[in-house]
């Protein structure tokens, strides 16, 4: 590590082999993950507009150069983190029945949206998306494209089992399943009543089967 705390490679020994260029940066994975975790914490604490590279670096326990070596701005950093979350996506439930799959998906989604960080970060980023096409596109990937693939797989399996007619719109199915959760948990910010997920799963299943 250099005297200024930056991450650098060392040269190879005298036994042969290609020498690494002096001062070449090595992006240590543990620092990268610490920075990504700090981004979520900063977004939840102060929001995107007030978030700064300095604040992220301090929270991650690294120097500013470690952040700038990986991302050239806080926008690109946030876009990268959001894209990483999108790549993980929701698990694709396969319980053997449509309503079982719907109920499991609702449980996973509700658990994620109840998380204190999600409750702070998602509304803030949605507001920023109205001003930034780049953030809007990243959120579209995170909140729609990855989840739509899960819904499409659920619908396809239900059609194969004879539970749904061919041609059911997977996008509509996703809207019916997750729309009420986003509304209750992130817009109205209300707790889900006991039995709500069971009732919602039943209602969505009945609507899709009609």
């Amino acid at each position: 590590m250099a005297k200024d705390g930056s991450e650098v490679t060392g040269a190879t020994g005298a036994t042969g082999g290609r020498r690494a260029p002096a001062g070449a940066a090595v992006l240590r994975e543990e620092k990268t993950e610490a920075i990504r975790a700090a981004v979520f914490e900063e977004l939840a604490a102060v929001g995107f507009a007030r978030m700064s590279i300095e604040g992220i670096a301090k929270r991650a326990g690294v120097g500013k150069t470690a952040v700038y070596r990986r991302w050239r701005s806080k926008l690109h950093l946030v876009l990268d983190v959001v894209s990483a979350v999108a790549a993980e996506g929701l698990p694709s439930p396969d319980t053997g029945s449509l309503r079982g799959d719907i109920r499991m998906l609702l449980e996973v989604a509700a658990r994620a949206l109840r998380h204190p960080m999600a409750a702070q970060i998602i509304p803030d980023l949605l507001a920023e998306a109205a001003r930034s096409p780049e953030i809007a596109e990243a959120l579209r990937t995170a909140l729609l494209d990855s989840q739509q693939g899960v819904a499409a797989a659920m619908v396809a399996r239900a059609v194969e089992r004879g539970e749904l007619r061919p041609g059911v719109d997977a996008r509509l199915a996703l809207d019916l399943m997750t729309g009420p959760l986003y509304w209750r948990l992130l817009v109205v910010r209300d707790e889900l009543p006991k039995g709500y997920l069971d009732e919602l799963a039943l209602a969505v299943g009945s609507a899709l089967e009609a």
Side-chain angles (χ1 to χ4, degrees), residues 26-39:
V26 174
L27 302 183
R28 292 167 52 187
E29 186 61 26
E30 64 268 23
K31 284 196 174 184
T32 301
E33 291 307 311
I35 293 168
R36 287 187 171 130
V39 170

Side-chain angles (χ1 to χ4, degrees), residues 28-42 55-62 66-67 70-71 77 81:
R28 292 167 52 187
E29 186 61 26
E30 64 268 23
K31 284 196 174 184
T32 301
E33 291 307 311
I35 293 168
R36 287 187 171 130
V39 170
F40 282 112
E41 294 171 4
E42 278 290 287
I56 293 169
K58 181 178 180 181
R59 192 180 289 272
V62 302
V67 181
R70 293 162 172 82
W71 301 277
L77 174 50
V81 170

Side-chain angles (χ1 to χ4, degrees), residues 184-197:
R184 292 290 293 257
L185 295 174
L186 298 183
V187 180
V188 178
R189 292 183 175 270
D190 194 9
E191 287 295 321
L192 300 182
K194 184 178 180 180
Y196 177 81
L197 295 182

Side-chain angles (χ1 to χ4, degrees), residues 99-142:
R99 297 194 183 189
D101 289 352
I102 293 172
R103 179 62 177 79
M104 181 174 290
L105 183 65
L106 290 175
E107 179 66 37
V108 173
R111 189 182 307 122
L113 293 175
R114 281 191 182 111
H115 193 285
M117 282 193 184
Q120 296 297 325
I121 291 171
I122 293 176
D124 180 69
L125 288 182
L126 288 174
E128 291 296 332
R131 296 182 284 270
S132 169
E134 291 175 287
I135 292 180
E137 181 58 30
L139 284 178
R140 177 181 175 83
T141 299

Side-chain angles (χ1 to χ4, degrees), residues 98 150-160 164-165 168-170 173 208:
L98 174 63
V150 172
M154 290 172 56
V155 168
R157 286 193 294 267
V159 170
E160 290 177 0
L164 293 179
R165 67 187 187 284
V168 170
D169 187 344
L208 293 175

Side-chain angles (χ1 to χ4, degrees), residues 40 78-91 137-150:
F40 282 112
V78 170
L79 293 179
D80 176 70
V81 170
V82 169
S83 298
V85 172
E88 295 178 4
L90 287 172
E137 181 58 30
L139 284 178
R140 177 181 175 83
T141 299
L143 301 179
L144 174 60
D145 294 351
S146 61
Q147 296 180 19
Q148 189 167 337
V150 172

